[in-house]
Amino acid sequence: FDALENKDEFLAKQGFERFEDILVHIIGWWEEGTKIVKAVLADPSFIYEEPDTDKFNAELIARYKTIRSTELRNIFEGKRIELVNFVREIPESAFENKTIENWLAMDVVEHFDEHAIG
C-alpha cells in the first residue's frame, strides 16, 4: 500500500477511508473466524449466527480509530502470525469439516483476494 501512487483510488475502491481501516477489518474477521473454528472444534453441530456485516465492520473501525498506524500494523502482523500458528496447530481432521474449511478459505484466500493491492 505504501508504494501505491494513487492511494485514495485504492481506498475508495475498497470502501474504506484509511488503509488502517482495512487492516482493522481483516483483524476483526480473522478473530471472528478463529472463534468460529474453535467453536466448531468443540461442538461440530455449532451454528454460526452471522452479524450484520456493515455494523460489524463499523464497530471494528470505531474500536481501533484512535490507535496509531504503526501500532495497528504491529497488531495486524501479530494477528497474522497468530492465525498462521492456529492453522498449523489444529488437527488435520479439522480440515475435513466443511464449516472449518470454508471459514479458513474465506479468512485467508478470499479475503486476501478481496483486498489485494494491484
Side-chain angles (χ1 to χ4, degrees), residues 14-16 20-30 32 50-65 111 114-115:
Q14 293 292 315
F16 292 96
E20 292 77 13
D21 295 341
I22 296 172
L23 297 180
V24 166
H25 163 80
I26 294 169
I27 289 167
W29 284 104
W30 282 348
E32 189 76 354
E50 189 168 341
D52 176 287
T53 302
D54 292 335
K55 182 179 177 187
F56 183 82
N57 288 331
E59 288 171 354
L60 288 169
I61 290 168
R63 186 178 344 147
Y64 287 91
K65 196 71 164 179
H111 218 170
E114 282 180 34
H115 302 294

Side-chain angles (χ1 to χ4, degrees), residues 10-78:
F10 173 77
L11 290 171
K13 195 162 46 169
Q14 293 292 315
F16 292 96
E17 290 180 26
R18 309 173 313 143
F19 177 66
E20 292 77 13
D21 295 341
I22 296 172
L23 297 180
V24 166
H25 163 80
I26 294 169
I27 289 167
W29 284 104
W30 282 348
E31 290 173 343
E32 189 76 354
T34 300
K35 183 173 70 175
I36 292 161
V37 170
K38 286 178 180 179
V40 172
L41 287 170
D43 177 8
S45 64
F46 171 79
I47 304 292
Y48 177 62
E49 293 185 36
E50 189 168 341
D52 176 287
T53 302
D54 292 335
K55 182 179 177 187
F56 183 82
N57 288 331
E59 288 171 354
L60 288 169
I61 290 168
R63 186 178 344 147
Y64 287 91
K65 196 71 164 179
T66 60
I67 299 176
R68 293 188 356 221
S69 177
T70 304
E71 187 176 347
L72 272 175
R73 288 172 186 234
N74 289 336
I75 292 169
F76 175 86
E77 181 60 12

Side-chain angles (χ1 to χ4, degrees), residues 94-109:
F95 296 96
E96 296 169 12
N97 182 298
K98 284 294 178 195
T99 301
I100 292 173
E101 180 185 6
N102 289 339
W103 267 98
L104 292 175
M106 284 188 297
D107 273 352
V108 179
V109 179

